[in-house]
Amino acid sequence: MESIVKNREVVLVSYFEGGPVTEHHLTIRETQMDINGCKEGEVAVQNLWIAVDPYIRWLMESPDRSIYFQNYELNQPITSDVVGKVVASAYLGLEVGDMVTGIYQVSEYSIVAGSSLKKLDTRFVKPSYYLGPLGMGGLTAWLGMVLIGNPKPGEEVFVSAAAGAVGLLAAQLAKSKGCRVVGSVGSEEKVKVLREEFGLDDAFNYKSETDWNAALSKYFPRGIDIYFDNVGGGMLEAALNHMKMNARISLCGMISQYNMKDWKESYGVKNLMNLLLKCAKMQGFLVTEYWNYRDEFMEEVRGYMKEGKIKYREDVKQGLDSFCEALNAVYSGGNIGKAIVQVRHP
Amino acid sequence: MESIVKNREVVLVSYFEGGPVTEHHLTIRETQMDINGCKEGEVAVQNLWIAVDPYIRWLMESPDRSIYFQNYELNQPITSDVVGKVVASAYLGLEVGDMVTGIYQVSEYSIVAGSSLKKLDTRFVKPSYYLGPLGMGGLTAWLGMVLIGNPKPGEEVFVSAAAGAVGLLAAQLAKSKGCRVVGSVGSEEKVKVLREEFGLDDAFNYKSETDWNAALSKYFPRGIDIYFDNVGGGMLEAALNHMKMNARISLCGMISQYNMKDWKESYGVKNLMNLLLKCAKMQGFLVTEYWNYRDEFMEEVRGYMKEGKIKYREDVKQGLDSFCEALNAVYSGGNIGKAIVQVRHP
C-alpha cells in the first residue's frame, strides 16, 4: 500500500434545523493522508463500517439548541462509532491487520490515538457487529435486561419498540435466559419478523391495538415480570397495571419527553401505586454510567451469538455517499435492526 | 394468682361506616377466664400494651367493603398487635414471666398458641417498643430505608410524613448511617420536635410551604440521594425533580390512592424521565412480603436504641376503655409517634 492515500470524509457544512438531512448539511470532502504519518501512540485505520445512530442528528444542531452532548463543529468531519482495520501503527498495543473499533472521524481513513481504540475478537461474529449487538446499543440492552431486569427462567417479559436495535437484543437476551417474551412494534411486518425470524413468543402492533391495557391483558394473562421500556408514557402506565409480585421495570428511553424544560407537559403516570402493591422496582439507566460492565457484557453476548442464541439484523447502505440517506431512514422508522454504512463496496 | 380471673375484651358490635368510632361500634364485654385452662401448646397471657394502628378501622368495615384484609367478625373481640406477660404455659418454648408479642385478641387476658408468639428481649428497651420501632412499623421503616435505600455516610435523605410512627424511625435510621436528613410534616410543632428532639438536620411544614419544588430546592441545594415516600402524588413529583445520580426512592405508602378502581383519578406523575437521567431506582414494598428480615432488622434497631442513636415517642392512653378515643386520635393526625393503649393503669 502506498504511503499517501486519497481520503474522503463526511463534513458538517451547515447546522440541522429540521426536515431531512441533505448534502446542504453533510458533504464529502476529498483530502490526502500519509498513512505512515502516525505520531508516537497513533495508528492509521482504514475504516470499514460506520454506525448510523439517531443521536447523530442531535449533534448536527447548533450548539445553543443542545443540552446533553458536545455538538459537531462546522466545517469539520463528523464523528461516529467506526470499525476499521489498522494499516500502520506507532502504538505498542496494535499491529497492522488488527480490527479495531472506536468513536472517531467518519472518513475512509483516520489517524487515531491507539489508546482510544478497542481491538476486536472477530472469530465468531462479523466485525460490524461491534457497532450493534457488541457495541453501545448492545451494552444498553444488556444493562437494562440482564443487569437491572435480572431475568429468570419462566418469567414473563415485555419489550416495547422491540424491533429497534436495542429492543431486538433485549428481547433475545430474555429469550436466552429462558423467559417468555412479547414485544410491541409499529407495523405488521415487524410483528411477523419478530415472531418468525427472532423467535419471540409473540408481538403486537401498538398502532392497530390501541387499547394497550387490553392488549397486555391478552398477551400477558399471568402478568409481567420484566418490562424493558423504550417509550414511556401511556405504554408504561399500561404495563404498570400488569406487574406481577417483585416485577422489574428497566427505563431505557422516553425520547418523546427529552426536553426537561417542558416536563409539565409530559404524560402523567397515574398508577405508580402498582409499584407498592407488587413490591416492584423501576430503574433508569444511562449507558455512559456503566462502561465498567463492557467486558462482562461483551463476553456474554458474544457467547450467545456463537451458540446461535442471538441473531441480529443490519440495514447496510454502501459508501460514504449514502450517509444522509441512511440517517434519514433511521428517523422514518421503516428499518429493522441496526443502520450502518459500509465504507467500501465489498 | 387465682386460676379464675375476671377478663374484659373489646368487641365489635356494629360495622364502621364513617365518622368517629364510638361505643356503638366497640364495647367492653366482661367474661371470666381460667388461666390454668391452657390446652397443649397454649399459653395464658396477661396483656399490657395494645397497638392502635390505622388499619384497625378498615378491618371494622363490613367485609363487602374491604379489598386487602380479612375483616373482624361481629360480636367477636377485635385483634391487634399486643405485648403481654405469660401467666401460665403449656408450651415448651415459653415460661411464666416471659414477655411476649403477637397479633391476637384485644383484652386483659388471652389464651394464645405459644408458637404464634415471639419472646421479647427487654434488657435495653421498653417492652411496648415491640409494638412500634421493634414491631411491624419498625420493620417497615427499616426495609424502606436500610434494605432498599441503602444509605451511605454523607448522603442526603428526604422523608415525607416524618413525624409518623414509620417516618420518625426511617429518618433516624438514616441519621444513624451518617446521612443528612430533612423531613416534611403537617405542623410547626412537628417541625420543632423533629429538629430539637429527634435530631433531624431540618424539617418543613408542607401545609405552609406549598411550593414543594421550591422547598426541596431550599432544603436540598445539592439534591436528594434517598427519598422515603409515605405520601406519593405531588410530593413524589417534586422529589423526582431533585434526584442526584444513582438516587433511590422507597415507596412506603400512598394511602390517598388506595382504591385501585379509581386509579385513573389519581395524581399523574409527569417527570419519571428523571429516573432515567439520574440512573435512579424507585422501589415499592409491603412489609408482609419481607418477614424473613425480621430478626436482622430487630437486632440492628435494638442496637441503635441501646446506643441512644434512635429515640422514640409513644402516645399512650390508659385502659381498654380508651381504645375508641385512641383510634380516633390516630385519624385526626395530631399525635407524634406510635399510638398505644396501656391495658392496666401503672
Side-chain angles (χ1 to χ4, degrees):
Chain A
M1 186 175 275
E2 287 185 21
S3 176
I4 306 291
V5 296
K6 192 184 75 172
N7 192 20
R8 300 170 81 232
E9 48 193 27
V10 177
V11 174
L12 181 70
V13 286
S14 74
Y15 291 125
F16 176 75
E17 293 178 348
V21 174
T22 68
E23 294 157 3
H24 176 66
H25 307 102
L26 297 178
T27 54
I28 304 288
R29 184 165 67 188
E30 284 201 15
T31 60
Q32 289 196 318
M33 176 180 285
D34 180 356
I35 60 172
N36 287 336
C38 301
K39 288 182 230 133
E40 183 68 30
E42 289 181 338
V43 297
V45 185
Q46 181 180 19
N47 300 323
L48 301 171
W49 292 278
I50 316 277
V52 183
D53 291 320
Y55 76 82
I56 287 175
R57 213 175 69 176
W58 307 339
L59 301 201
M60 289 170 56
E61 296 181 349
S62 173
D64 59 332
R65 292 184 57 185
S66 174
I67 305 176
Y68 301 111
F69 298 95
Q70 182 148 9
N71 289 34
Y72 297 140
E73 284 180 47
L74 276 184
N75 301 314
Q76 294 294 319
I78 65 168
T79 58
S80 183
D81 265 320
V82 183
V83 162
K85 185 191 283 185
V86 173
V87 291
S89 178
Y91 176 71
L92 200 63
L94 291 171
E95 295 173 11
V96 171
D98 282 348
M99 296 294 287
V100 293
T101 190
I103 298 177
Y104 56 86
Q105 294 180 353
V106 174
S107 53
E108 290 177 332
Y109 292 91
S110 305
I111 288 182
V112 191
S115 61
S116 71
L117 297 174
K118 187 166 177 68
K119 185 175 164 181
L120 304 183
D121 177 348
T122 59
R123 286 172 296 168
F124 312 118
V125 296
K126 292 168 65 178
S128 60
Y129 274 28
Y130 285 91
L131 301 178
L134 296 172
M136 192 159 55
L139 177 55
T140 303
W142 184 88
L143 290 168
M145 183 57 74
V146 178
L147 188 73
I148 294 170
N150 189 22
K152 292 179 272 295
E155 286 195 323
E156 309 256 350
V157 176
F158 175 45
V159 178
S160 56
V166 171
L168 202 53
L169 196 64
Q172 291 181 88
L173 281 166
K175 283 301 297 175
S176 300
K177 302 286 187 183
C179 299
R180 177 177 170 271
V181 183
V182 177
S184 66
V185 292
S187 75
E188 298 304 327
E189 186 213 344
K190 290 177 178 176
V191 167
K192 192 168 144 63
V193 168
L194 288 189
R195 283 186 188 141
E196 295 177 6
E197 187 175 342
F198 292 98
L200 267 68
D201 295 281
D202 220 329
F204 67 93
N205 180 352
Y206 72 89
K207 291 179 182 167
S208 58
E209 302 202 39
T210 53
D211 182 343
W212 298 336
N213 245 316
L216 292 176
S217 293
K218 185 167 67 175
Y219 292 98
F220 292 98
R222 295 177 299 275
I224 296 169
D225 291 293
I226 301 175
Y227 173 37
F228 188 100
D229 185 16
N230 285 303
V231 299
M235 190 64 89
L236 172 57
E237 189 172 75
L240 276 161
N241 285 336
H242 294 82
M243 292 293 106
K244 291 170 75 172
M245 279 306 282
N246 302 307
R248 291 83 75 195
I249 299 178
S250 273
L251 298 179
C252 176
M254 310 182 181
I255 287 174
S256 65
Q257 299 175 47
Y258 251 106
N259 189 348
M260 292 307 289
K261 289 172 203 158
D262 294 329
W263 70 267
K264 287 182 182 170
E265 291 160 25
S266 300
Y267 190 95
V269 175
K270 293 183 172 175
N271 56 354
L272 295 175
M273 189 67 202
N274 285 297
L275 292 176
L276 202 158
L277 295 174
K278 299 303 168 58
C279 298
K281 177 180 83 166
M282 183 148 83
Q283 166 114 42
F285 66 101
L286 295 171
V287 66
T288 46
E289 296 292 310
Y290 290 91
W291 284 125
N292 54 323
Y293 284 98
R294 203 174 168 195
D295 289 340
E296 183 182 344
F297 132 76
M298 216 176 265
E299 189 173 351
E300 180 171 343
V301 173
R302 199 158 42 207
Y304 287 139
M305 298 201 120
K306 186 181 166 192
E307 297 167 28
K309 283 185 179 170
I310 285 185
K311 296 177 190 171
Y312 209 66
R313 212 201 248 204
E314 294 174 319
D315 188 316
V316 187
K317 295 203 164 30
Q318 297 298 334
L320 284 183
D321 300 281
S322 67
F323 196 89
C324 287
E325 181 194 346
L327 186 55
N328 289 326
V330 163
Y331 273 88
S332 74
N335 50 347
I336 295 173
K338 182 73 180 184
I340 58 175
V341 160
Q342 186 159 18
V343 181
R344 306 208 152 206
H345 294 262
Chain B
M1 186 174 278
E2 286 184 19
S3 176
I4 306 290
V5 297
K6 191 184 76 170
N7 193 20
R8 300 170 81 232
E9 49 194 25
V10 177
V11 174
L12 180 70
V13 285
S14 72
Y15 291 125
F16 176 74
E17 294 178 347
V21 174
T22 68
E23 294 158 5
H24 176 67
H25 307 102
L26 297 178
T27 53
I28 304 287
R29 184 166 69 190
E30 285 201 16
T31 60
Q32 288 196 319
M33 177 180 285
D34 181 356
I35 59 170
N36 287 336
C38 300
K39 289 184 228 127
E40 182 69 28
E42 290 182 337
V43 298
V45 185
Q46 181 180 17
N47 300 324
L48 301 171
W49 292 278
I50 316 274
V52 183
D53 292 319
Y55 76 82
I56 287 173
R57 211 175 70 175
W58 307 340
L59 302 200
M60 289 170 57
E61 296 182 351
S62 174
D64 59 331
R65 290 185 57 186
S66 174
I67 304 176
Y68 301 111
F69 298 95
Q70 182 149 9
N71 289 36
Y72 297 139
E73 283 179 47
L74 275 185
N75 301 314
Q76 295 294 319
I78 66 168
T79 59
S80 183
D81 264 321
V82 184
V83 161
K85 186 190 283 185
V86 174
V87 290
S89 177
Y91 175 71
L92 200 62
L94 292 171
E95 293 174 11
V96 170
D98 283 347
M99 296 294 287
V100 293
T101 190
I103 297 176
Y104 55 87
Q105 293 179 353
V106 173
S107 53
E108 290 178 332
Y109 292 91
S110 304
I111 287 182
V112 192
S115 60
S116 72
L117 297 173
K118 187 167 177 70
K119 185 176 164 180
L120 304 183
D121 178 347
T122 58
R123 285 172 296 168
F124 312 119
V125 295
K126 293 169 63 178
S128 60
Y129 274 26
Y130 285 90
L131 302 179
L134 297 172
M136 192 157 56
L139 177 54
T140 302
W142 184 89
L143 289 169
M145 184 57 75
V146 179
L147 188 72
I148 293 171
N150 188 23
K152 291 179 275 292
E155 287 195 323
E156 309 257 349
V157 176
F158 175 46
V159 178
S160 56
V166 171
L168 202 53
L169 196 65
Q172 291 181 90
L173 281 166
K175 284 301 297 175
S176 301
K177 301 287 186 182
C179 300
R180 177 179 171 269
V181 183
V182 177
S184 67
V185 292
S187 75
E188 298 304 327
E189 186 212 344
K190 290 179 178 177
V191 167
K192 192 169 145 65
V193 168
L194 288 188
R195 283 186 189 141
E196 296 177 6
E197 185 174 341
F198 292 99
L200 267 68
D201 296 282
D202 219 329
F204 67 93
N205 179 352
Y206 72 89
K207 291 178 183 168
S208 57
E209 303 203 38
T210 53
D211 182 343
W212 299 336
N213 244 315
L216 292 176
S217 293
K218 185 167 68 177
Y219 291 98
F220 292 98
R222 296 177 299 276
I224 297 169
D225 291 293
I226 300 175
Y227 173 38
F228 188 99
D229 184 16
N230 286 304
V231 299
M235 191 64 90
L236 173 57
E237 191 172 73
L240 276 161
N241 284 337
H242 295 81
M243 291 293 105
K244 291 170 75 173
M245 278 307 281
N246 302 308
R248 290 82 75 194
I249 299 178
S250 274
L251 297 179
C252 177
M254 309 181 182
I255 288 175
S256 64
Q257 299 176 48
Y258 252 105
N259 188 349
M260 292 305 289
K261 288 172 202 157
D262 295 330
W263 70 267
K264 287 182 182 170
E265 291 160 24
S266 300
Y267 190 96
V269 174
K270 292 183 173 175
N271 56 355
L272 295 175
M273 189 68 202
N274 286 298
L275 293 176
L276 202 158
L277 294 175
K278 300 301 168 58
C279 298
K281 177 181 82 166
M282 183 148 84
Q283 167 115 42
F285 65 101
L286 295 171
V287 67
T288 46
E289 295 293 310
Y290 290 90
W291 283 126
N292 54 321
Y293 285 97
R294 204 174 168 195
D295 290 339
E296 184 182 343
F297 132 76
M298 217 175 265
E299 189 172 349
E300 180 171 344
V301 173
R302 199 158 40 207
Y304 287 137
M305 297 201 120
K306 186 181 166 190
E307 297 165 30
K309 285 187 180 170
I310 285 185
K311 296 177 191 171
Y312 210 66
R313 211 198 251 204
E314 293 174 320
D315 189 315
V316 187
K317 295 206 163 25
Q318 298 296 335
L320 284 183
D321 300 281
S322 67
F323 197 88
C324 287
E325 181 194 347
L327 187 55
N328 289 326
V330 164
Y331 273 88
S332 74
N335 49 348
I336 295 174
K338 182 73 180 184
I340 58 175
V341 160
Q342 186 159 17
V343 181
R344 304 207 157 212
H345 293 261

